[in-house]
Amino acid sequence: MLPLATEGGSGSGGFQGPSLEDFFPPGIFFQGTIFELNRIMLIRLLIVVVILVLFWLGTRKMKIVPSRGQSVMEFGLGFVRKNIVEDNLGIKDGKRFLPLLTAMFFFILFMNLTSVVPFLNIAGTSVLGMPLVLAIVSYIAFIWAGIRKHPGAFFKNALFPSGVAWPMYIIITPIELLSTFILRPVTLALRLLMNMVAGHMLLVLCFSATQFFLFTAGGFFSAFSIGTLAFGFIFTLFEILVGVLQAYVFTFLSTVYIQLALAEEH
């Protein structure tokens, strides 16, 4: 996190905390074009390559008695399959959506964890574009599952639930439209985004304060660097937990939405 620390400390002796500018870095390649790549985009591309390589290495030589790498891979895949997909969708429907939901979980997980990787130090999901794309993918899967399961009746039953007196639809239908078809993708994207933004800001604050107290303030104030460094490591562990939890929550909610679309009452 130290590369993101203070800029004004060396010249003015002041402390500059984290800012939202961290999430809008300048272009590195192809500046000024639609293909411009900045630091966060390069992190995302790197993570895609890392995921592909890890899964290839973990599955290229499958054995009855698994190796250590194969065991780790099988544990991760089994966790998503059993605890997220099959527990909500069952075995039959789970098989249909398992590839999508597995890819979603590991993609979000690895993107989140780049926030604590040295020299990367920022999550690939900490800018709205990526959480929004993932939320749209989840939303499309939800709509597709509902239309495929209940053609011609999915939207009608979702917006006009049975057993309700018709005057109540004046109130219920707008609420259902807002909560089911508008707020779901928005809340999915914002929940993931804001958690990763907050985590990054806390880590930068702790480690930049450590650098300030230790190298700029000096003297008696150097002792404060012990506390800020300790908090930095604590928040690093917390950020890892949050990264894993957010991958789980996003995938779990996507699975629940698909399950609701497949429910017989539709």
Side-chain angles (χ1 to χ4, degrees):
M1 306 302 297
L2 293 181
L4 296 176
T6 61
E7 295 176 359
S10 59
S12 62
F15 170 73
Q16 179 178 343
S19 72
L20 293 178
E21 292 180 3
D22 292 343
F23 304 102
F24 303 96
I28 298 176
F29 300 109
F30 313 116
Q31 295 95 328
T33 71
I34 60 173
F35 303 104
E36 180 174 305
L37 297 176
N38 58 28
R39 176 165 163 254
I40 296 178
M41 290 297 298
L42 291 175
I43 288 174
R44 291 170 177 172
L45 293 175
L46 173 63
I47 290 304
V48 170
V49 174
V50 168
I51 292 174
L52 292 176
V53 170
L54 286 179
F55 272 82
W56 176 71
L57 292 175
T59 58
R60 62 174 179 158
K61 293 182 179 179
M62 304 291 286
K63 300 177 182 178
I64 297 177
V65 180
S67 62
R68 184 177 301 176
Q70 182 181 332
S71 297
V72 173
M73 192 67 63
E74 289 179 353
F75 173 80
L77 294 172
F79 172 79
V80 177
R81 177 179 59 81
K82 182 66 176 68
N83 294 280
I84 299 180
V85 179
E86 290 184 357
D87 279 359
N88 291 285
L89 299 179
I91 297 177
K92 180 180 178 182
D93 289 325
K95 287 182 178 179
R96 297 164 52 201
F97 294 96
L98 181 60
L100 171 67
L101 296 169
T102 300
M104 181 180 291
F105 174 83
F106 284 102
F107 185 76
I108 297 173
L109 175 63
F110 279 75
M111 286 285 179
N112 288 352
L113 294 182
T114 58
S115 62
V116 298
V117 175
F119 306 109
L120 299 182
N121 299 333
I122 194 167
T125 48
S126 60
V127 176
L128 181 60
M130 185 57 66
L132 186 59
V133 168
L134 291 166
I136 291 173
V137 170
S138 173
Y139 183 74
I140 291 174
F142 158 69
I143 298 295
W144 181 86
I147 294 176
R148 182 75 179 271
K149 181 72 173 182
H150 311 283
F154 172 65
F155 291 105
K156 174 180 176 294
N157 293 335
L159 296 175
F160 302 93
S162 59
V164 178
W166 71 264
M168 293 299 297
Y169 287 134
I170 299 174
I171 300 175
I172 293 176
T173 298
I175 294 175
E176 290 294 332
L177 176 64
L178 182 65
S179 63
T180 302
F181 296 103
I182 298 177
L183 289 183
R184 280 183 181 177
V186 172
T187 54
L188 273 178
L190 290 182
R191 182 185 296 107
L192 176 59
L193 171 69
M194 298 312 297
N195 274 278
M196 303 321 297
V197 168
H200 174 81
M201 300 290 273
L202 281 173
L203 290 177
V204 173
L205 178 62
C206 289
F207 288 112
S208 59
T210 299
Q211 178 176 329
F212 171 76
F213 286 130
L214 193 60
F215 298 107
T216 303
F220 169 78
F221 293 99
S222 298
F224 288 103
S225 65
I226 299 174
T228 55
L229 183 62
F231 276 111
F233 282 115
I234 292 172
F235 282 126
T236 297
L237 296 176
F238 185 70
E239 181 73 354
I240 294 173
L241 176 62
V242 170
V244 175
L245 183 61
Q246 286 304 310
Y248 173 82
V249 168
F250 195 103
T251 309
F252 178 81
L253 289 177
S254 298
T255 307
V256 169
Y257 295 156
I258 292 172
Q259 189 274 331
L260 291 175
L262 297 174
E264 290 301 326
E265 57 263 27
H266 284 287

